[in-house]
Amino acid sequence: MPDVVEQVNDSMLVASFKNEKLKEASYTQLVRKYQERLYWHIRRMVVEHEDTNDILQNVFIKVWRNLADFREESNLYTWLYRIATNETLTWIEQKKRHASVSISGDENIFAQKLVAQKDYDPNKIEWKLQQAILTLPERQRLVFNLRYYDEMPYDQMAKMLDTSAGALKASYHHAVKKVEASLLNH
Amino acid sequence: MNEADNIQQELNSMGSSLAGLPRQIPYAVPAGYFNQLADNIVAKARMQEDALPDFGRQMPYEVPADYFAALPEMVLEMAKADGQAGVKKPQTILFVPRLRWAAAAVLAIVIGVGTVMVFSTHTQTASDSLLAAVPKNEISAYIKHSYGFDAARVVNSNQFNNLNVDYKDIEAYLNETGWD
């Protein structure tokens, strides 16, 4: 039986959020509906749970503040992913700036975080794949993850990232080749 | 065809080895995390809302009456006046002959020359206390004699750019005493 929360229409969620009496309940439903998708979208980019949790909470706080003004020109799903993506990329930029002035230099901070993960096993293919994906530049990694894991269609991705579907397709194909090459080298 | 099939097909068409790989993410998530997340976020959102009540968007500043009504006309007049003045040639940035600069130049010269003179004979005495004791007319006379210009006249006649002085001395002096 499908999850009841999943059946709730996004437009109704937005409409009920604008009603003060229903605001909290509809927001809770919205969080429950999208929390895992957004969580994994962020986690695949930043690796660590604690960092993911911080970013995800910021994303949902922004949603709380701005959902009443949401005009539904894009669908809610795309809007949420856009907020999550922007928050994540901003966070990564800050981390990189910090890393570039610290002792560790500008090494791949996420590769280090990956090795520190619970049950990390460099011999297992799923970990090797994550390691290979982390060698991609952030935006290409984002495109790869959205396509490979989230199965997002290119046109939807294009709306979310304000770019063309063709450019994203080229980026994804390039990323696939790079990931393959990285897997072969390790 | 659903999107997952699409992606597999896309990878197959690329001849990619990723097509055959499991797509599971190996990362661990704390137990019960997703069960509590929504409630935690709602509580946090409410708390932040309470901590920062809506003060509205009204600015407390006052604007003179009819300021905005008169502004376009005023700006237009200014633009016209500017146009009538003709196209201005790019100005060469010259040393601005301001009284303060001139005074600083004079002082820098006096201090420089005076210090050399004083230290050549009075090595144990502070130069500034000695300089303070020198009457102003004597300083002026000295400058006139040594450098061939009258400090007061130079200041009044905007001839400062013609002076053969070391601006580093002036700059150092102004850095110490302030530029206003």
Side-chain angles (χ1 to χ4, degrees), chain A residues 53 147-148 151 154 180, chain B residues 3 10 16 23 33 46:
Chain A
N53 183 43
R147 183 68 183 160
Y148 188 77
E151 301 174 354
Y154 288 117
E180 280 176 344
Chain B
E3 199 61 36
E10 187 179 27
S16 172
R23 285 193 291 163
Y33 173 71
R46 281 289 186 205

Side-chain angles (χ1 to χ4, degrees), chain A residues 27-86:
Chain A
Y27 177 76
T28 305
Q29 282 193 339
L30 183 147
V31 173
R32 291 208 173 113
K33 183 173 180 179
Y34 286 106
Q35 59 183 9
E36 291 199 41
R37 274 181 270 186
L38 295 181
Y39 174 89
W40 287 112
H41 174 55
I42 299 165
R43 180 93 190 255
R44 284 192 292 260
M45 292 295 290
V46 303
V47 180
E48 263 186 6
H49 168 77
E50 291 306 325
D51 295 334
T52 307
N53 183 43
D54 288 346
I55 298 167
L56 185 62
Q57 293 205 15
N58 287 341
V59 169
F60 279 122
I61 295 292
K62 284 201 169 171
V63 171
W64 171 269
R65 287 184 191 148
N66 297 297
L67 188 60
D69 297 325
F70 178 63
R71 294 278 172 260
E72 298 191 55
E73 286 155 0
S74 59
N75 64 43
L76 186 63
Y77 170 79
T78 307
W79 186 67
L80 293 172
Y81 261 76
R82 188 182 293 147
I83 296 173
T85 301
N86 289 342

Side-chain angles (χ1 to χ4, degrees), chain A residues 93-150:
Chain A
E93 277 307 309
Q94 285 170 349
K95 277 283 164 187
K96 281 167 70 180
R97 270 205 297 274
H98 180 73
S100 69
V101 294
S102 71
I103 302 163
S104 61
D106 59 354
E107 291 170 36
N108 190 334
I109 50 171
F110 300 110
Q112 293 170 4
K113 287 174 186 282
L114 184 80
V115 173
Q117 289 300 296
K118 186 172 178 275
D119 298 330
Y120 172 74
D121 184 344
N123 297 316
K124 284 189 174 171
I125 187 64
E126 55 265 37
W127 288 103
K128 281 183 179 176
L129 180 58
Q130 294 310 310
Q131 219 153 17
I133 294 168
L134 285 173
T135 63
L136 299 173
E138 277 82 36
R139 290 195 177 267
Q140 199 168 37
R141 183 145 49 101
L142 184 74
V143 172
F144 181 88
N145 287 338
L146 284 170
R147 183 68 183 160
Y148 188 77
Y149 288 110
D150 287 334

Side-chain angles (χ1 to χ4, degrees), chain A residues 17-32:
Chain A
F17 182 83
K18 291 173 185 175
N19 180 335
E20 193 55 41
K21 284 181 185 170
L22 302 172
K23 184 175 181 176
E24 213 165 287
S26 56
Y27 177 76
T28 305
Q29 282 193 339
L30 183 147
V31 173
R32 291 208 173 113

